[in-house]
Amino acid sequence: MAKANLALVGATGAVGTAMIDIINNRENIWGEIRLIASARSAGKKILVHGEELTVVELTPESFDGMDIAMFDVPDEISEIWAPIAASRGAVAVDNSGAFRMDPEVPLVVPEVNPEQARNRPKGIISNPNCTTLTMMASLGALHRGWTLTELVVSSYQAVSGAGVAGIERLRDEISALAGTNAGEASEDVLKTLEGSGLGIDVSPFSNPVALNVIPFAGSLKAGGFSSEEMKVRDESRKILGIPDLKVAVTCVRVPVLVSHSLAVHATFANPLTVADVHKALGEEPTVRLVDDPAKGLWPTPSLVAGQDPTFVGRVRQSLDFPNSIEMFVVGDNLRKGAALNTYEIAELVASEF
């Protein structure tokens, strides 16, 4: 069989770096691998499968000869360049939000709807938001068995969801607050940070994130909802093929570097038990059960960071809601939440060659 040629756009960013780690730690199924980034990153050397590759500048010609192009760049870059890649003959697998709700672009999670990867009239496949992806493998498995009807989610999202700037900001805040008594009085964290030159005016967040939680992630949308909350609602409906799924979401930013956590309340058309959930999720190769509360065993971001599977624990049958399950799901937002799922979609496409 011929091997597909693979391009990675955004190779030097936070998600791109995670993508290269994934590529290096999986079987090399590719012909040529081409790393693409902005002009300022062009010329950098990166080791991929033992070969030192030179990052090339993003141009239309950079896609020539490529069969698949993975995009790990902001929406406004993908909006322009994913169609260009498709016009040059590459299937564009896009990790941004630019095309997720386009009815002519499939939104794919390989564990849930792999067949949609072939349904790409624009030559583009979209990767879901990292928050949605954290729970999708487990919800997809349960939906197949019991038919999901309602979903209530609260997310606890790592600062890496805001990119490298989010990671750097939390590290800077931790350094500035270390050894102080900040956190005991109203706004003393903010005042301490301002005294260290770390005012909110130079932060990617609206409030201090260290020693704090921020009940908002994303941009403001109609009705007071955030863009992250709307993504979870709309994307869950599209991926699962349930256009009338009832969804309620609250997204929260927490002082964690890597891994999003979700408290999930899911209601199904048919009765199910904790044992049913354990069995179904135990059969999912990309899900790990960590669920022994008596021994203090449950998923946490520090356990999950750097790992490919999503982790599920705290599985309970709701006391007051029929056919409903409560569970806590954690996934590395830079891996399964972004880079890994994008790469797995690319693997699906590569299998066509």
Side-chain angles (χ1 to χ4, degrees):
M1 292 179 63
K3 288 187 174 182
N5 294 328
L6 177 70
L8 171 57
V9 184
T12 58
V15 176
T17 300
M19 180 74 75
I20 290 170
D21 181 64
I22 290 166
I23 292 171
N24 282 333
N25 285 283
R26 292 168 85 96
E27 179 186 357
N28 187 2
I29 63 171
W30 307 105
E32 180 186 350
I33 296 176
R34 187 175 297 168
L35 306 182
I36 303 172
S38 63
R40 69 177 180 273
S41 296
K44 288 186 177 180
K45 308 286 187 181
I46 299 176
L47 200 64
V48 180
H49 283 301
E51 181 181 357
E52 191 174 67
L53 302 182
T54 301
V55 176
V56 302
E57 183 180 353
L58 177 61
T59 65
E61 292 74 23
S62 62
F63 298 105
D64 289 349
M66 296 293 102
D67 300 302
I68 301 167
M70 300 186 300
F71 283 79
D72 289 308
V73 294
D75 292 15
E76 60 270 20
I77 305 298
S78 286
E79 284 176 357
I80 296 170
W81 288 97
I84 291 173
S87 73
R88 310 288 285 207
V91 176
V93 183
D94 181 41
N95 184 43
S96 83
F99 304 99
R100 287 176 185 150
M101 299 315 298
D102 186 325
E104 294 188 284
V105 175
L107 188 62
V108 174
V109 180
E111 299 96 325
V112 181
N113 61 345
E115 71 286 349
Q116 289 299 317
R118 292 178 178 268
N119 178 26
R120 46 178 194 262
K122 291 187 174 181
I124 301 171
I125 303 171
S126 198
N127 189 61
N129 175 261
C130 52
T131 313
T132 309
L133 270 170
T134 298
M135 63 181 173
M136 201 45 59
S138 53
L139 280 182
L142 298 179
H143 175 58
R144 286 194 297 271
W146 292 273
T147 309
L148 183 67
T149 59
E150 299 178 12
L151 182 62
V152 181
V153 180
S154 293
S155 72
Y156 309 90
Q157 298 181 211
V159 295
S160 51
V164 173
I167 294 173
E168 292 176 347
R169 177 68 189 194
L170 178 55
R171 290 195 187 279
D172 288 344
E173 288 189 9
I174 290 171
S175 296
L177 296 170
T180 74
N181 292 322
E184 298 177 353
S186 176
E187 294 196 333
D188 61 354
V189 170
L190 177 60
K191 292 172 183 175
T192 302
L193 293 175
E194 288 176 340
S196 301
L198 294 172
I200 293 304
D201 59 319
V202 293
S203 174
F205 306 114
S206 60
N207 302 87
V209 67
L211 303 180
N212 203 19
V213 298
I214 304 172
F216 193 88
S219 57
L220 185 63
K221 298 298 181 182
F225 293 97
S226 77
S227 57
E228 288 285 303
E229 290 159 353
M230 297 307 298
K231 288 173 187 176
V232 172
R233 177 179 182 266
D234 296 341
E235 293 174 17
S236 295
R237 290 174 160 188
K238 184 173 180 178
I239 295 163
L240 294 168
I242 316 173
D244 59 349
L245 180 66
K246 295 180 179 179
V247 183
V249 190
T250 299
C251 290
V252 180
R253 189 75 70 187
V254 297
V256 168
L257 288 175
V258 175
S259 297
H260 289 352
S261 305
L262 278 66
V264 176
H265 169 98
T267 299
F268 299 85
N270 301 295
L272 74 168
T273 65
V274 170
D276 291 331
V277 175
H278 279 184
K279 183 175 186 300
L281 298 187
E283 294 171 353
E284 287 296 306
T286 63
V287 174
R288 298 287 182 272
L289 276 168
V290 181
D291 195 15
D292 192 345
K295 296 181 179 178
L297 296 176
W298 35 60
T300 66
S302 63
L303 166 70
V304 173
Q307 299 199 60
D308 288 344
T310 50
F311 288 67
V312 178
R314 297 295 323 277
V315 179
R316 291 149 288 150
Q317 195 167 18
S318 295
L319 297 176
D320 299 318
F321 299 89
N323 302 349
S324 297
I325 289 290
E326 323 282 355
M327 59 186 183
F328 196 71
V329 187
V330 185
D332 184 321
N333 57 299
L334 298 180
R335 295 184 76 85
K336 183 57 179 177
L340 179 60
N341 199 77
T342 304
Y343 186 77
E344 289 171 336
I345 295 170
E347 287 182 321
L348 280 178
V349 179
S351 68
E352 300 173 18
F353 286 80

